[in-house]
Amino acid sequence: MVLYTAPFPNSCLSALHAVSWALIFPCYWLLDRLVASFIPIACQKRQRADDPCYLQLLCTVLFAPVYLALLVASLPFAFVGFLLWSPLQSARRPYIYSRLEDKGPAGGAALLSEWKGTGPGKSFCFATANLCLLPDSLARLNNVFNTQARAKEIGQRIRNGASRPQIKIYIDSPTNTSISAASFSSLVSPQGSDGVARAVPGSIKRTASVEYKGDSGHRSSDEAANGPASGDPAEGGSLEDACIVRIGGEDGGRPPEADDSASGGQARNGAGGGSRGQTPNHSQRDGDSGSLGSPSASRESLVKARDGGSGEPGTTNSKLPYKASGVKKAAARKRRHPDEAFDHEVSAFFPANLDFLCLQEVFDKRAAAKLKAQLHGYFEYILYDVGVYGCQGCCSFKCLNSGLFFASRYPIMDVAYHCYPNGRGSDGLASKGALFLKVQVGSTPQDQRIVGYISCTHLHALPEDSAIRCEQLDLLQDWLADFRKSTSSSSTANPEELVAFDVVCGDFNFDNCSSDDKLEQQHSLFTHYKDPCRLGPGEEKSWAIGTMLDTDNLYDEDVCTPDNLQKVLETEEGRREYLAFPTSKSPGAGQKGRKDLLKGNGRRIDYMLYAEEGLCPDWKAEVEEFSFITQLSGLTDHLPVAMRLMVSAGEEEA
């Protein structure tokens, strides 16, 4: 299948579209600024209440007439541009495919050689998030603002979190010998005496954030934003390397120091480290608490580790302090759920070694371009500007695209997009739909391709429209079945492909505990795909939490940084205060009065599902880790979720 790298089939149509949008954009921008000036966010409302002469109010009074006058003047040009723009949408392609051409030996082609379908298996990590990257006037309705700056910051945080090596921490105590709860977070690699950042081979399992300060200082914010992704295999060494740190100590005492063994190749009482690769040390500007270089990136306990800066065994470097918090608390949390087959946590960072990223509500084109530029530092393959405009492909006129965005470290083989035809109201203005992707993740010694299927969707949002969401779930299943059938390869010329995983994710806009969403909870999708957080219709696992934040409190000091939000969500009281709970359709039942009566830990509407059927015979996919991520605190009103799947041959696991 040919992947579309441009929105139009030829340069002439692209030029006409550029001219039409140039005529429309001034009117669009002025209207957005005019409306946004009358929609204050929560912190601005508080400042206005405290100070009647609040500067923002004065700016609104002064600039609103200017915006209005310019808007009226731009209307004739916008009308001409619309007449040219509208018919062009019939020739527009449903997505734009972007590939970073200069990844070299660290690109997706190199990843394909890592797994041959044999051995102990291969893990793949998926994440999904709703970013609320709308025009600024609409984003303010969800208490977020400055869409363009948020897009750049979100891209930096995701890239910095995903590009860190994975770390595991073991507890060595007279009363506790368990592994701490899983974490997708990781350490920024220490730097050697030559100033070159080097990867700490391996993965530390932890539940809180980690701070590292190299002996060469931090890079500038421009370098952090535009440099190559930290942990890139191009810098030498694999992100899959393992460093296992064992921490000794007694209950009630302070965390002890973890020292290297005399042999140098291992952490104290830990397993041996793998090969050491070079990893650039990314840091963000001050105030980005999602970065490891941030002063607020960790809390509570301090553990000091020494590692060879030059990469040679036996050498030490005393200038490598890092913080790891909540180790014993993490172990206790794991012991509370001994029957769970996989690790789960609230994490302050996006998963290390993230392979696939599915995003929703990336509606704004300029924001999508900024997000793409940041994520290309880590993901080689990206699909953006997904959807249709005008009246093409859907029943009603579409002003916005689908908002879907996909990034991958592995090559994309096939793509399909479908627009839901039954959206209504405000949702009908966006071409919400489903994006289906087929990726290649390896090849067997017999040159059979190993592939995976990923589906990303955003369902109807209006809470009273359960029937519409159920219809969309029906369409999602039908489209997915057609996509798998049309893209499968089983001819003699093309050896049969081996399917390693089938994952469905996105913002479903219903939760599994509300009595108002019973229709969606009982949908047949959940019989074909497994939800790691769900016990059954209306019943969640005890550790699952909501993914929708209470928008009124997004900028409270207690939750304004990833670490603070993580700490709050680890307590029941914090979840009840800062997570959104479903409102009833019946009149007179407000959200605040219902929180104590509702089951669950908030409204979980962002889903990550996986199939156990339809894979290669004798293969199975099992969840290794699942996390709710706080790294985008203050940047969106949703919590991202992530899942790591282990794909292996069934007979080898037995």
Side-chain angles (χ1 to χ4, degrees):
M1 178 179 179
V2 177
L3 299 175
Y4 303 131
T5 57
F8 292 95
N10 57 65
S11 57
C12 179
L13 292 179
S14 296
L16 288 174
H17 181 266
V19 171
S20 66
W21 185 245
L23 294 171
I24 295 172
F25 180 76
C27 181
Y28 161 80
W29 186 85
L30 289 165
L31 179 62
D32 183 45
R33 297 316 310 157
L34 178 63
V35 176
S37 63
F38 291 98
I39 306 178
I41 60 175
C43 59
Q44 292 174 337
K45 291 178 181 178
R46 288 194 293 266
Q47 291 173 333
R48 182 178 299 179
D50 295 338
D51 183 8
C53 297
Y54 177 48
L55 180 61
Q56 184 68 32
L57 180 60
L58 297 177
C59 291
T60 300
V61 173
L62 292 175
F63 285 103
V66 177
Y67 288 144
L68 182 60
L70 294 176
L71 175 64
V72 172
S74 67
L75 283 175
F77 300 97
F79 179 74
V80 173
F82 178 80
L83 294 179
L84 181 59
W85 175 88
S86 185
L88 287 174
Q89 303 313 304
S90 60
R92 185 187 176 276
R93 292 158 171 172
Y95 61 84
I96 302 177
Y97 168 74
S98 176
R99 179 182 179 185
L100 191 65
E101 298 291 349
D102 58 351
K103 289 292 275 188
L111 291 175
L112 298 181
S113 62
E114 293 182 359
W115 189 39
K116 299 295 183 182
T118 59
K122 174 75 173 177
S123 67
F124 300 96
C125 190
F126 309 81
T128 183
N130 183 314
L131 302 185
C132 199
L133 292 177
L134 289 151
D136 200 49
S137 56
L138 299 179
R140 284 172 172 262
L141 297 175
N142 290 339
N143 203 25
V144 290
F145 67 109
N146 204 341
T147 294
Q148 306 306 316
R150 281 194 301 117
K152 182 177 180 181
E153 180 76 3
I154 287 170
Q156 289 178 357
R157 292 197 188 186
I158 295 175
R159 186 190 66 185
N160 289 348
S163 60
R164 298 184 178 100
Q166 201 180 357
I167 310 288
K168 295 180 182 179
I169 292 181
Y170 288 79
I171 307 301
D172 188 4
S173 162
T175 59
N176 179 23
T177 57
S178 65
I179 301 178
S180 67
S183 172
F184 298 171
S185 3
S186 55
L187 292 172
V188 175
S189 57
Q191 294 179 345
S193 58
D194 56 357
V196 178
R198 304 186 183 279
V200 178
S203 49
I204 286 190
K205 290 193 173 184
R206 41 176 288 291
T207 58
S209 56
V210 178
E211 181 177 3
Y212 163 77
K213 294 183 179 179
D215 52 351
S216 299
H218 294 299
R219 298 173 60 185
S220 68
S221 59
D222 290 340
E223 291 175 304
N226 303 315
S230 159
D232 196 334
E235 302 297 330
S238 170
L239 289 174
E240 298 289 340
D241 294 338
C243 170
I244 302 176
V245 176
R246 186 177 297 277
I247 299 178
E250 298 178 358
D251 290 344
R254 66 178 179 84
E257 294 186 357
D259 298 328
D260 281 329
S261 62
S263 60
Q266 300 174 329
R268 185 165 67 96
N269 294 333
S275 60
R276 298 172 185 265
Q278 297 178 359
T279 305
N281 177 17
H282 286 280
S283 62
Q284 296 185 17
R285 66 176 181 268
D286 293 342
D288 175 15
S289 52
S291 168
L292 288 180
S294 167
S296 60
S298 60
R299 67 177 187 270
E300 298 179 6
S301 59
L302 173 64
V303 180
K304 295 182 180 179
R306 301 183 182 92
D307 195 7
S310 63
E312 297 297 330
T315 60
T316 60
N317 185 353
S318 60
K319 296 182 179 181
L320 303 177
Y322 67 89
K323 297 181 180 180
S325 62
V327 174
K328 296 192 178 191
K329 180 172 63 175
R333 180 163 56 251
K334 181 174 177 83
R335 290 197 302 274
R336 285 200 294 269
H337 309 290
D339 56 335
E340 191 63 79
F342 55 88
D343 296 319
H344 46 82
E345 68 158 355
V346 179
S347 172
F349 295 105
F350 270 84
N353 307 336
L354 179 61
D355 295 309
F356 307 103
L357 179 65
C358 299
L359 303 175
Q360 302 85 48
E361 290 200 12
V362 187
F363 287 116
D364 189 273
K365 286 185 177 182
R366 293 183 296 150
K370 291 179 173 64
L371 184 64
K372 174 182 71 75
Q374 294 297 325
L375 293 179
H376 255 326
Y378 180 78
F379 295 101
E380 182 174 355
Y381 310 92
I382 289 178
L383 287 175
Y384 67 105
D385 198 11
V386 179
V388 295
Y389 297 91
C391 295
Q392 281 66 40
C394 293
C395 299
S396 59
F397 187 87
K398 304 299 180 183
C399 301
L400 299 172
N401 60 27
S402 70
L404 301 177
F405 185 107
F406 177 77
S408 171
R409 295 174 63 208
Y410 289 88
I412 300 172
M413 300 175 63
D414 293 283
V415 180
Y417 160 79
H418 295 279
C419 176
Y420 292 127
N422 58 349
R424 73 175 187 88
S426 57
D427 261 26
L429 299 176
S431 58
K432 285 187 174 181
L435 180 66
F436 304 95
L437 304 112
K438 178 182 177 182
V439 295
Q440 184 175 358
V441 295
S443 58
T444 68
Q446 295 77 30
D447 291 330
Q448 290 178 288
R449 288 180 295 194
I450 304 175
V451 301
Y453 288 92
I454 305 171
S455 305
C456 178
T457 189
H458 189 186
L459 301 185
H460 191 72
L462 300 182
E464 64 273 13
D465 292 334
S466 294
I468 291 180
R469 282 187 290 274
C470 287
E471 292 175 7
Q472 292 177 346
L473 290 174
D474 291 338
L475 291 171
L476 176 67
Q477 288 190 98
D478 294 341
W479 291 335
L480 178 55
D482 292 342
F483 179 71
R484 288 197 57 166
K485 183 177 179 180
S486 64
T487 59
S488 64
S489 173
S490 58
S491 65
T492 304
N494 297 312
E496 184 178 359
E497 296 167 337
L498 306 179
V499 179
F501 56 80
D502 185 354
V503 171
V504 177
C505 61
D507 182 353
F508 287 10
N509 273 312
F510 66 86
D511 67 88
N512 191 44
C513 287
S514 173
S515 59
D516 296 332
D517 295 330
K518 286 185 177 180
L519 284 177
E520 298 97 315
Q521 295 163 10
Q522 298 171 359
H523 195 272
S524 60
L525 177 71
F526 296 101
T527 64
H528 298 97
Y529 290 85
K530 188 172 181 179
D531 183 353
C533 302
R534 162 182 161 128
L535 289 174
E539 188 175 5
E540 295 275 80
K541 294 183 179 178
S542 59
W543 50 266
I545 66 173
T547 60
M548 193 171 182
L549 299 171
D550 187 346
T551 56
D552 292 337
N553 301 317
L554 290 181
Y555 305 108
D556 284 9
E557 184 178 355
D558 290 342
V559 294
C560 65
T561 67
D563 233 24
N564 288 351
L565 180 57
Q566 178 199 30
K567 185 176 181 179
V568 163
L569 295 183
E570 288 174 345
T571 66
E572 182 177 356
E573 295 79 8
R575 292 192 291 270
R576 291 194 177 276
E577 183 173 359
Y578 289 103
L579 290 181
F581 281 72
T583 56
S584 175
K585 297 172 187 174
S586 59
Q591 175 175 326
K592 294 186 179 297
R594 285 171 49 88
K595 282 191 175 184
D596 292 333
L597 303 177
L598 290 169
K599 297 185 296 182
N601 289 312
R603 191 165 182 242
R604 184 175 65 90
I605 65 175
D606 298 273
Y607 288 77
M608 186 76 71
L609 314 178
Y610 70 100
E612 295 181 313
E613 56 189 40
L615 308 182
C616 172
D618 300 325
W619 283 14
K620 63 179 180 180
E622 296 179 315
V623 178
E624 277 193 318
E625 298 170 331
F626 195 95
S627 75
F628 301 88
I629 302 162
T630 65
Q631 194 172 7
L632 301 185
S633 63
L635 298 176
T636 180
D637 58 341
H638 285 242
L639 284 181
V641 296
M643 175 179 69
R644 193 180 300 276
L645 278 182
M646 169 59 73
V647 180
S648 58
E651 62 271 12
E652 295 186 12
E653 290 294 323

